[in-house]
Amino acid sequence: MMDKLITGLQGSKYAQAALLALFVALTCAWVFLMDKSVVAFLLLLSSLLLLHYTSFPTKIKWAVGGVMLLLVVPFATSGGASHEAYMEVATQCGIFIAMALGLNVVVGFAGLLDLGFVAFFAVGAYTYAIFSTPQATEFMSGGWLPLTGSYFWLFIFIGGFIASLFGILLGLPVLRVKGDYLAIVTLGFGEITRIIFNNLDKPVNITNGALGISSIQAPNLFGYHFTFPHQFYFIVIAILALVILCVKRLEHSRLGRSWKAIRDNEIAAQSSGIPLIRTKLTAFAVGASFSGMMGVVFAAKQTFVDPTSFTYLESITILVMVLLGGMGSVPGVILGACVITLLNLQVLTEITLWLNQLTMQGIIKVPHALSPSKMQRFIFGAVLILFAIFRPNGLIAARNRKVDEGRLRAANAPVSAKLRDPSGHGEGGSS
Amino acid sequence: MGMKKVWIASMAVMLAAGLLAACGNNGGSDKKIIKIASQSPLSGGSSVQGEAIKLGAQMALEERKAEFEKLGFDLQFTPYDDQADPKKGVANAETIAADKQIMAIVGHMNSGVAIPSSVVYDKYGIPMVSPSNTATEVTDRKLKVVNRIVARDDFQGPAAAQYAVNTVGAKNIFVIQDKTAYGQGLADAFKSEAEKLGATIAGYEAITIGEKDFNGVITQILSKKPDFIFFGGLYAEAGQIVKQARDKGVTAPIMGGDGIDTAGMVEVAGDKVVGTLYTSVSTDITKTDAGKAWADAYKQKFGKNVDGYSAYAYDCMNLILNALKEAIEANDGDLPTREQVRDQVRATKDFEGMATKVTFDDKGDNAYAKVFVYEFKAASYPGSLISEVSK
Amino acid sequence: MISDLLHSLPQVLVDGLTLGAVYAVVAIGYTLVYGILELINFAHGEIFMSGAFIGTAVMLMFESAGWLGAMPGWLAYMLIMAAAMLVTGLMGVGIERVAYRPLRSAPKLISLISAIGVSFFLQDLVRFIAELSTGSYLISSSTLYNDNLQLRVSKLGGSLGDAFLKTNTVILIVVAVLLMVGLDLFVKRTKWGIAMRAVAQDRETAALMSINVNKVIALTFFIGSALGGATGVLFAQQYGTVDPFIGYVLGIKAFTAAVLGGIGSIRGAMFGGLFIGMVEMFASANLGVLTSGNFGGEYKDVFAFAILIVVLIFKPEGLFGKAVKEKV
């Protein structure tokens, strides 16, 4: 019975569309009507996952997803008082998705394990923080400082650019080491970056050291100030769209395939003519730039940065997202980032509050040590071990695009030159 | 493929949803609900003090539940865990803002978390009263929602310096800090005042938080031979520094700030703690009879001894509730807006709390805030109060 | 300035030796595992930390049972150490069995991630246990052998200053050296030691020579972890306070030591550990003096990490290791 239903669903796109629409409508109504319901919000977001599994053409999926994120989600959450709280969570999700996608380029595509990835995020955040506050006047002069919030838009790209420069700088020496040595070198770099940010308040005060930089300017677009999470949400969505577009195009491009070749067998890749150094460096640069851009957004949203936001735990958190979702799989990594961020910000907090309430009402006694919001390391550790052993491909495994050999040959037989550069996109087997 | 798994997955999600929904239910009540939240680290390195803030606030609220019941309001307490992490604090702040029933916040414990989170509170007009933030930046931004009942770093640090130079007679001082926002702020304030008072700074060093071996910096102290040592930081490191310095024969007095005003200091340093000085923005409430009785009640209720900030959190909550009550009365018994409560909190004058008297100035600093100097005369917490500095 | 450095030199050497001995023994754990599995056992720092906690727990137990006064200090020390070594050794074997063995043929990346997972998992597990039983995860216990000693180096003349140390410092260094020498002899002279070296060199061939590879690997983990646990006890006795997060940074530094000495080489690890300990202590004692306060001891960890990076980049085989050609 169930099986029949499922096969029926698989066959009919209309049935899928109807089901999806019903699901979205229901969860929307739930989110809209309930004052604050984490569950409803999670379900609403999970409709995107359902969308992923439908058998619509990829373009339609993207279009529907875009409509969902740009219209449906902001509207549905605007019903209750929790609007901003939902949007805050969604914004942070977006930030982490972009970072996880960045790390995915480095780890998932190119197979270079980076344990200090949060350093690039820090670079982006500090870039904007320093120049949009009087901090910059501490070490350089000029009447044009501090910059106003309207430079934010420019800084998204500057932040990304500087982060990618750092990526290349880090990458250059790192290229000589391989495998787990690489991991430990990147870890060392990450720690050095944090220590330097934490201490660079003397002899020249550049980062204001441990005190951090506060009162960072809010973004400003023709006099319109972005201060609330629901405003940042749209900035994040826009950047995220750019990032996803980049990643999708890169994934199947010549460069993307070179990354994967290096990941799968470095020596073989090298002997088939892939320039190792350049390919690895671009992986670092691309990954870092995503992180850097989101760093700028993060600084503007928090209005405050300090080195405690950029610890080893953060790097590992992003790694957990990538591994959980599936290394090398774009939809997987997006899912992984959402799950971990929601877990961190919503689910664990809510369960803790609930247990707290029960404890206060004297129904159960949960020792404080076991409060779920403290269990991050425990959960992350367990996720890493379990997924490494039982599901190394993650929740949504990466699929290599199938190449229809016969068709390819037929199409390219006359112009064999084309074979060398099959364009990176088109109807994709993966979505 | 795919669909079957999706079905199973959705079922699982639904199941989880059902479970969560069960916890989400607050249960209906006819009375209007007013919630006061607390934000402090309930996990991580400073969870002992964070917990004390939560419990102190909880105690005050529960004592006055009946009072508000008569006014027709159901008073509830919702503690949040900011994990001493600015990101978490901001995310919590948005959640708090979303809950329209939350009228005010007791917290934060860490200035580094209070600064970004208070920007969020300001957007929604939710007042916060901190029992422990000492960084100057917290109130110097002149946000209407931010208040604190304890002394600022630029009062605590200099008060410590005055004690060191004027009372102890220190001339050659070695300053250590832990490179956190708190430790550095305090140490810098101490250093500049000590220099102003004519003492020389023999050295200014930083240590790495979380480590156990501080022999490097102590070796430097040995060769510099200062007659006074000041440490800006927390007890875990301070305890080791005191212990290792004494092991190496350093006899100069060692002084710390409110970060070592906790029982943990004695645990870490053991017998070597004797003679260590510390300033604190909180008083030892067990010295008065009323305070002693309160501390006993606290112990009986929660099974824990009072910590430095327990009574201050208790005062914060009472102060908020007073303001809330006045706002309700001004509103003819109806639920006031957050802005009304915010302004009422800021208007607090001559509030007599368990630990301190409070009058807020236009920035939200407490005009009656005092700095207390203690000495560990025996290896037990708290130390004995030896001096008191008011503005 | 030079006289300042000279004055503090004896003290820096003593403290550096203490810290270095800890790094060295922990480094051996990394080196043994890497030598045999080519895996950075990220969890080894946490094994060390667990050892420190077990040592502290047993110590507290002795104390509360009143046995501490009843038996001589050295006996208590040995019992504590034995308990910690046994438990951490078994933990190491368990971790290998659960988290590494299933991944032996998987890509390197995956086993490394599993190792990171174990490290996080252990941190929180120990925190749970500590917090549930005492209410705080920062745990202090009393320590044995606290007498202070003074090395009157200043009598030697020059501008050298005296060095101070505790009796326990001497014990720490002696025990660390005994452990290292013992291990070296074990690996060089015994049948099992030879088997370990054989497996490290070529697992398949070793298996053909009727060596039980799984058993040898388990034994390696047992020995490496027991050494880590023993060091944990020494550390806890030296500093009196432990918390669940001491293993992470210390682990990385110990790994640096292993890399510096040449990973896979036991003597290299000893040398690397002592070197890193000395450098760190020298930096935290003198950096501020040398740069007139511009860069202080807060940068000392940068040195350890920088050494790590430089060695890995320019001489990945380390000072005492052998360069290995990569197989396709």
Side-chain angles (χ1 to χ4, degrees):
Chain A
M1 171 66 197
M2 193 78 176
D3 283 344
K4 245 185 206 163
L5 203 71
I6 290 168
T7 31
L9 263 174
Q10 266 173 329
S12 159
K13 286 184 186 172
Y14 294 108
Q16 288 176 12
L19 191 76
L20 184 68
L22 186 71
F23 187 80
V24 172
L26 274 178
T27 50
C28 264
W30 190 1
V31 173
F32 191 81
L33 296 174
M34 285 282 285
D35 196 31
K36 181 175 197 303
S37 166
V38 176
V39 186
F41 185 58
L42 291 183
L43 284 178
L44 177 59
L45 289 185
S46 67
S47 63
L48 287 170
L49 187 64
L50 275 182
L51 177 69
H52 169 75
Y53 279 113
T54 54
S55 43
F56 300 130
T58 313
K59 276 185 185 151
I60 297 196
K61 282 190 197 174
W62 282 112
V64 175
V67 170
M68 286 278 302
L69 286 175
L70 284 176
L71 297 175
V72 178
V73 172
F75 172 74
T77 54
S78 69
S82 314
H83 184 42
E84 296 299 342
Y86 287 140
M87 287 287 110
E88 164 76 20
V89 172
T91 309
Q92 293 215 15
C93 269
I95 290 178
F96 277 108
I97 290 173
M99 282 207 279
L101 284 172
L103 184 63
N104 185 43
V105 170
V106 184
V107 180
F109 291 168
L112 309 163
L113 184 54
D114 187 342
L115 296 180
F117 195 68
V118 84
F120 305 127
F121 185 55
V123 168
Y126 268 97
T127 309
Y128 183 61
I130 288 172
F131 286 98
S132 69
T133 59
Q135 181 64 32
T137 53
E138 297 270 353
F139 62 94
M140 54 169 71
S141 57
W144 48 282
L145 292 167
L147 297 172
T148 60
S150 38
Y151 283 92
F152 169 80
W153 316 102
L154 185 60
F155 262 88
I156 292 179
F157 297 100
I158 296 179
F161 177 69
I162 294 186
S164 65
L165 276 187
F166 264 75
I168 293 172
L169 273 181
L170 189 157
L172 270 177
V174 160
L175 291 171
R176 296 181 50 134
V177 295
K178 291 197 191 89
D180 27 10
Y181 275 9
L182 176 83
I184 203 115
V185 167
T186 53
L187 192 159
F189 265 112
E191 287 295 295
I192 289 181
T193 312
R194 192 180 54 77
I195 296 173
I196 288 179
F197 275 131
N198 200 30
N199 293 314
L200 217 55
D201 52 347
K202 64 177 187 180
V204 186
N205 185 354
I206 295 177
T207 64
N208 207 24
L211 298 177
I213 301 175
S214 59
S215 306
I216 297 168
Q217 297 269 345
N220 177 346
L221 189 65
F222 307 120
Y224 180 74
H225 286 273
F226 287 72
T227 48
F228 287 97
H230 75 264
Q231 297 161 327
F232 277 102
Y233 174 77
F234 291 103
I235 300 178
V236 167
I237 292 284
I239 299 177
L240 200 55
L242 183 76
V243 167
I244 293 177
L245 188 74
C246 267
V247 172
K248 294 298 296 181
R249 295 201 71 135
L250 281 173
E251 185 180 0
H252 299 297
S253 72
R254 188 193 181 86
L255 184 61
R257 281 174 289 127
S258 311
W259 285 336
K260 289 179 184 174
I262 289 182
R263 174 190 67 190
D264 294 338
N265 191 333
E266 197 168 314
I267 294 171
Q270 196 173 16
S271 46
S272 41
I274 292 172
L276 272 192
I277 295 195
R278 213 176 60 206
T279 314
K280 282 184 178 178
L281 277 185
T282 37
F284 269 108
V286 169
S289 68
F290 297 162
S291 231
M293 290 199 280
M294 280 308 182
V296 174
V297 178
F298 175 79
K301 187 177 80 67
Q302 298 286 96
T303 72
F304 175 78
V305 292
D306 77 344
T308 59
S309 304
F310 311 108
T311 55
Y312 174 65
L313 181 64
E314 299 294 326
S315 291
I316 296 298
T317 308
I318 306 169
L319 182 68
V320 174
M321 291 169 181
V322 174
L323 184 77
L324 178 73
M327 282 189 286
S329 145
V330 174
V333 169
I334 295 176
L335 176 68
C338 284
V339 168
I340 296 292
T341 317
L342 290 171
L343 191 74
N344 253 342
L345 292 179
Q346 290 257 285
V347 178
L348 291 184
T349 320
E350 285 299 318
I351 297 180
T352 311
L353 275 179
W354 177 57
L355 287 179
N356 239 326
Q357 247 170 17
L358 290 188
T359 311
M360 270 168 69
Q361 289 161 4
I363 298 173
I364 43 165
K365 185 99 188 99
V366 182
H368 199 70
L370 295 180
S371 133
S373 68
K374 289 180 164 188
M375 301 198 354
Q376 274 176 341
R377 283 166 195 266
F378 194 78
I379 295 170
F380 290 175
V383 166
L384 285 175
I385 303 171
L386 292 176
F387 272 73
I389 294 176
F390 296 110
R391 215 181 155 89
N393 290 326
L395 288 173
I396 305 179
R399 276 178 292 169
N400 272 329
R401 187 166 14 178
K402 284 204 188 74
V403 180
D404 186 343
E405 212 181 324
R407 212 190 58 188
L408 206 66
R409 210 167 274 164
N412 291 316
V415 217
S416 61
K418 259 193 184 170
L419 240 179
R420 251 176 257 150
D421 186 28
S423 67
H425 44 100
E427 40 185 35
S430 78
S431 45
Chain B
M1 77 131 270
M3 272 326 252
K4 199 167 184 178
K5 276 188 189 162
V6 177
W7 270 108
I8 297 168
S10 345
M11 287 301 154
V13 171
M14 285 291 194
L15 193 70
L19 283 173
L20 271 173
C23 16
N25 277 338
N26 290 328
S29 160
D30 296 342
K31 291 222 173 66
K32 280 178 234 163
I33 297 171
I34 294 181
K35 291 182 189 160
I36 312 290
S38 77
Q39 276 234 67
S40 56
L42 304 178
S43 49
S46 35
S47 56
V48 175
Q49 288 123 309
E51 177 87 2
I53 290 177
K54 177 189 129 188
L55 295 180
Q58 183 182 341
M59 186 155 164
L61 184 129
E62 286 178 3
E63 282 173 7
R64 297 181 64 176
K65 242 176 145 53
E67 186 184 332
F68 279 81
E69 207 130 306
K70 277 188 210 132
L71 297 172
F73 294 98
D74 183 15
L75 209 52
Q76 288 183 4
F77 180 60
T78 47
Y80 283 82
D81 178 11
D82 65 23
Q83 296 176 3
D85 173 4
K87 264 205 302 300
K88 187 78 187 169
V90 170
N92 282 349
E94 292 287 355
T95 315
I96 287 173
D99 190 343
K100 286 278 184 257
Q101 293 166 335
I102 296 181
M103 283 293 166
I105 295 132
V106 175
H108 295 243
M109 146 120 194
N110 310 71
S111 302
V113 185
I115 292 170
S117 305
S118 56
V119 175
V120 178
Y121 303 144
D122 193 49
K123 281 191 286 197
Y124 302 96
I126 318 164
M128 64 162 261
V129 185
S130 168
S132 69
N133 288 161
T134 54
T136 49
E137 182 83 16
V138 173
T139 50
D140 280 352
R141 295 166 304 152
K142 301 203 168 118
L143 297 179
K144 280 185 186 161
V145 294
V146 181
N147 308 281
R148 63 169 138 210
I149 64 172
V150 290
R152 298 154 54 96
D153 276 345
D154 56 3
F155 177 30
Q156 190 194 170
Q162 281 159 16
Y163 185 83
V165 178
N166 297 341
T167 314
V168 181
K171 292 193 180 60
N172 194 25
I173 302 174
F174 199 97
V175 181
I176 313 172
Q177 52 126 327
D178 67 354
K179 271 287 166 184
T180 63
Y182 162 75
Q184 186 170 355
L186 184 66
D188 284 347
F190 175 92
K191 180 170 159 249
S192 60
E193 179 75 11
E195 280 169 334
K196 217 183 284 170
L197 292 171
T200 46
I201 301 297
Y204 184 67
E205 265 296 336
I207 52 137
T208 309
I209 196 159
E211 296 212 325
K212 300 279 174 259
D213 189 318
F214 302 109
N215 283 309
V217 72
I218 289 161
T219 302
Q220 217 183 102
I221 292 174
L222 271 178
S223 63
K224 294 269 172 68
K225 298 192 182 64
D227 57 5
F228 196 87
I229 298 159
F230 184 81
F231 174 70
L234 301 174
Y235 69 94
E237 288 77 30
Q240 290 290 348
I241 288 178
V242 167
K243 203 159 69 171
Q244 289 165 20
R246 297 297 179 238
D247 279 346
K248 285 207 156 62
V250 174
T251 51
I254 300 177
M255 187 176 205
D258 55 328
I260 71 171
D261 179 14
T262 162
M265 178 71 192
V266 181
E267 258 172 51
V268 177
D271 294 339
K272 306 268 166 40
V273 81
V274 175
T276 304
L277 301 160
Y278 63 95
T279 56
S280 177
V281 292
S282 63
T283 177
D284 175 11
I285 58 146
T286 56
K287 289 203 334 162
T288 62
D289 289 342
K292 184 98 182 68
W294 182 82
D296 289 342
Y298 180 98
K299 168 117 201 210
Q300 197 168 13
K301 189 168 166 70
F302 301 117
K304 285 182 178 166
N305 283 322
V306 286
D307 206 78
Y309 296 126
S310 309
Y312 282 82
Y314 181 82
D315 283 355
C316 285
M317 180 60 91
N318 271 323
L319 185 157
I320 287 172
L321 293 179
N322 282 359
L324 181 65
K325 200 172 165 192
E326 276 169 46
I328 292 172
E329 278 159 8
N331 216 15
D332 300 325
D334 268 348
L335 193 68
T337 64
R338 283 169 169 174
E339 284 76 15
Q340 285 167 324
V341 179
R342 174 193 72 193
D343 296 339
Q344 205 68 51
V345 167
R346 179 57 63 82
T348 298
K349 271 213 160 41
D350 296 326
F351 165 83
E352 288 286 352
M354 182 62 65
T356 178
K357 199 173 167 184
V358 181
T359 294
F360 287 129
D361 65 9
D362 59 336
K363 284 200 289 191
D365 284 323
N366 179 10
Y368 290 107
K370 280 184 188 167
V371 171
F372 307 88
V373 183
Y374 295 83
E375 182 180 356
F376 284 112
K377 292 211 160 129
S380 67
Y381 177 81
S384 8
L385 185 63
I386 48 176
S387 173
E388 216 175 288
V389 190
S390 48
K391 261 187 187 154
Chain C
M1 189 183 285
I2 300 294
S3 69
D4 269 359
L5 292 192
L6 273 179
H7 183 81
S8 61
L9 194 62
Q11 186 68 55
V12 168
L13 287 178
V14 168
D15 292 333
L17 194 65
T18 316
L19 203 57
V22 171
Y23 290 157
V25 188
V26 178
I28 287 177
Y30 281 104
T31 255
L32 282 178
V33 170
Y34 196 93
I36 212 155
L37 284 186
E38 294 194 8
L39 166 76
I40 300 178
N41 183 10
F42 263 91
H44 192 60
E46 274 60 42
I47 295 273
F48 158 83
M49 176 271 292
S50 310
F53 263 89
I54 293 161
T56 309
V58 176
M59 184 80 190
L60 288 173
M61 205 179 75
F62 281 178
E63 231 176 340
S64 64
W67 296 348
L68 212 51
M71 62 175 130
W74 59 267
L75 184 62
Y77 217 124
M78 277 176 67
L79 285 176
I80 291 170
M81 200 107 134
M85 285 176 82
L86 187 68
V87 178
T88 51
L90 291 177
M91 270 172 77
V93 174
I95 290 169
E96 193 272 332
R97 184 68 196 85
V98 172
Y100 302 153
R101 194 179 297 178
L103 296 171
R104 217 175 275 165
S105 55
K108 259 315 182 32
L109 196 72
I110 301 289
S111 17
L112 201 59
I113 286 174
S114 179
I116 296 171
V118 174
S119 138
F120 267 60
F121 189 80
L122 281 182
Q123 281 180 14
D124 234 13
L125 192 69
V126 171
R127 184 185 61 80
F128 280 161
I129 297 170
E131 239 180 311
L132 276 179
S133 46
T134 66
S136 159
Y137 63 71
L138 194 76
I139 294 186
S140 305
S141 72
S142 60
T143 49
L144 303 157
Y145 298 106
N146 281 314
D147 321 311
N148 294 317
L149 308 173
Q150 190 172 6
L151 289 182
R152 299 202 177 278
V153 190
S154 53
K155 291 248 170 74
L156 292 175
S159 48
L160 295 174
D162 288 346
F164 297 85
L165 65 161
K166 295 200 295 185
T167 316
N168 191 63
T169 314
V170 181
I171 295 177
L172 189 154
I173 295 170
V174 170
V175 172
V177 170
L178 282 180
L179 287 174
M180 290 188 279
V181 172
L183 178 75
D184 205 38
L185 288 177
F186 176 83
V187 172
K188 291 260 151 70
R189 300 282 162 81
T190 65
K191 201 176 84 183
W192 280 104
I194 293 167
M196 274 164 72
R197 278 156 57 208
V199 174
Q201 222 158 48
D202 189 332
R203 203 183 300 157
E204 275 84 37
T205 316
L208 290 177
M209 305 289 172
S210 74
I211 292 174
N212 185 338
V213 172
N214 278 338
K215 241 186 203 166
V216 171
I217 291 178
L219 178 73
T220 311
F221 267 88
F222 185 88
I223 294 175
S225 306
L227 288 178
T231 330
V233 173
L234 294 174
F235 184 91
Q237 282 296 314
Q238 179 74 5
Y239 300 108
T241 308
V242 290
D243 71 57
F245 309 111
I246 50 174
Y248 158 61
V249 174
L250 196 138
I252 296 176
K253 287 180 189 161
F255 180 76
T256 306
V259 168
L260 177 66
I263 203 134
S265 146
I266 293 173
R267 291 178 187 176
M270 297 180 201
F271 169 82
L274 293 182
F275 183 79
I276 298 280
M278 294 285 182
V279 167
E280 193 184 321
M281 208 40 87
F282 185 82
S284 66
N286 295 317
L287 212 54
V289 181
L290 289 174
T291 61
S292 58
N294 283 330
F295 299 97
E298 64 268 23
Y299 282 98
K300 75 181 164 63
D301 285 0
V302 172
F303 283 83
F305 292 127
I307 291 175
L308 173 72
I309 293 170
V310 169
V311 172
L312 280 182
I313 291 169
F314 295 106
K315 203 167 165 41
E317 71 274 16
L319 298 177
F320 297 88
K322 284 187 230 87
V324 189
K325 280 271 180 296
E326 193 182 357
K327 287 168 277 189
V328 178

